[in-house]
Amino acid sequence: MPKGHLVDKIVYNTLILGAGIAGLTIAAALARRGVSAHIVERARDESKRGPSHPSARGLRLAYAHLPALLPMVERVIPSWRALEARHDHQLFFEHGAAQIIPPEHPLSRGMIALDGKHGLSVEPCEVKTIDAFHLDPPDGTHLFKEHRAGILNASAIHALLLDEFAREALQRSATVTQIIPTDSGVEVLLAGGMRLTASRLILCPGGALGDVLAMIPSTTTRWIPPLKRKWQVEVWLAREPDPNLPPMDSAPLLDIVSDNKNLFGLGIPGHPHAFKMTRRLDHSPASVQVERDAILAEARRWLPGNWRVQRTIASANMITPDRLFLLGAHPRHPRISIFGGLSGHGYKFAPLLAEMLAEHLLDNAALPEIFAPARFGS
């Protein structure tokens, strides 16, 4: 809650910019420790923007392409189970994952090496029919089954996280225009003239991280890490109900990897005739409609039944050169913390990362050096 109130200036202990999964999890982690934070969110309804919008998210832990994350994976599922226990509500559905990879792809060798390590169970097997899918890749293609993978009910997660702190602490439709570090904290200017002052500021703006960092003035050059936007097109699909077809909300995650195609699909809890498919891109989509139609064609190839498009969203993730997160102090301004660069896979790590950051801010606990923003210079 505010410490004081002036005509155009409000003072807080902690400000958080962004109400995506990072902003909500750190606000909840601080609230559980008795620290109230005020969240500033530019969207009118933060749950429908970008990659943090609701419905469902996949949770895979076999990060063969990011071995630096593997020491953390055994702590990820317990962090979600803790949220479930606090609210007596199931959020993670452990249906497994099926990953289809050409044998010559480097990821295939990495997956084979993971079985039995870091609490992972990854079963390489011959490609064959899996309930809910038509699998007809080229001969020799590898199929990997990851048994502890599954679906996160993102809609329920967002609602429950909002219940963990005072909802009036979330200020929507608020556009930040400038961030000014001071000797005693940070000032944040909003469009319209409102000035927010806080002892500490936590930046969780998702795909806008580079733009937000550029708002911090500097006497020399601004510190902005070499972030890259990586795009994705997400398509929500609906199937004509058919009692002879298996329900899609209990199907394993489907990941189709190749040199020119990277598709990821998952069911939506409570919706047996719905499926979400995502195509990851290294560039902004020239035509969202063309990408949508290509995803629909793939869905009709891999998924039995008659499918149509319900909704399409194109969004961007901020990715660091090493594809690891940014978690910790701004290299030049110790009262500003960064919780970003989640690179599209940070959602599943968010509650664990939020606990780490909260313990660091309140108890000076060490953060993993691999996530230090200062690794990209100061």
Side-chain angles (χ1 to χ4, degrees), residues 10-198:
I10 305 178
V11 181
Y12 296 94
N13 176 278
T14 302
L15 274 176
I16 298 171
L17 299 192
I21 190 62
L24 294 181
T25 50
I26 185 59
L30 291 172
R32 290 195 299 275
R33 292 163 171 80
V35 176
S36 298
H38 185 76
I39 308 176
V40 176
E41 168 56 48
R42 66 179 177 176
R44 181 175 299 176
D45 182 352
E46 79 289 340
S47 67
K48 293 183 179 178
R49 66 172 176 85
S52 280
H53 58 70
S55 73
R57 294 297 299 259
L59 194 162
R60 287 192 299 108
L61 302 175
Y63 281 98
H65 60 303
L66 287 173
L69 292 179
L70 292 174
M72 296 177 59
V73 299
E74 292 181 75
R75 300 167 61 188
V76 172
I77 292 177
S79 70
W80 287 110
R81 295 301 189 200
L83 179 59
E84 289 181 323
R86 290 197 299 271
H87 296 273
D88 192 24
H89 190 115
Q90 185 175 4
L91 300 170
F92 174 52
F93 299 83
E94 204 164 323
H95 300 321
Q99 197 165 26
I100 299 169
I101 310 173
E104 67 278 3
H105 197 285
L107 187 58
S108 184
R109 295 189 294 274
M111 290 291 288
I112 291 172
L114 283 184
D115 190 37
K117 298 179 181 178
H118 305 286
L120 296 169
S121 175
V122 179
E123 177 188 355
C125 53
E126 296 295 327
V127 171
K128 58 185 178 181
T129 299
I130 295 179
D131 286 346
F133 303 133
H134 291 315
L135 301 182
D136 60 346
D139 291 342
T141 300
H142 288 168
L143 170 66
F144 296 93
K145 293 181 179 180
E146 182 185 345
H147 298 287
R148 297 194 69 197
I151 301 169
L152 291 166
N153 186 342
S155 295
I157 287 166
H158 279 245
L160 295 180
L161 287 171
L162 285 168
D163 286 340
E164 294 203 344
F165 57 87
R167 288 187 179 236
E168 60 269 21
L170 175 55
Q171 181 178 353
R172 296 183 174 92
S173 302
T175 302
V176 176
T177 59
Q178 194 171 8
I179 299 170
I180 305 172
T182 67
D183 292 339
S184 59
V186 185
E187 290 190 345
V188 175
L189 277 59
L190 304 182
M194 181 176 289
R195 183 185 298 264
L196 308 179
T197 299

Side-chain angles (χ1 to χ4, degrees), residues 9 46 94 157 200 208 260 262 274 326:
K9 181 176 180 179
E46 79 289 340
E94 204 164 323
I157 287 166
R200 74 167 67 93
N260 60 1
N262 196 333
L326 294 169

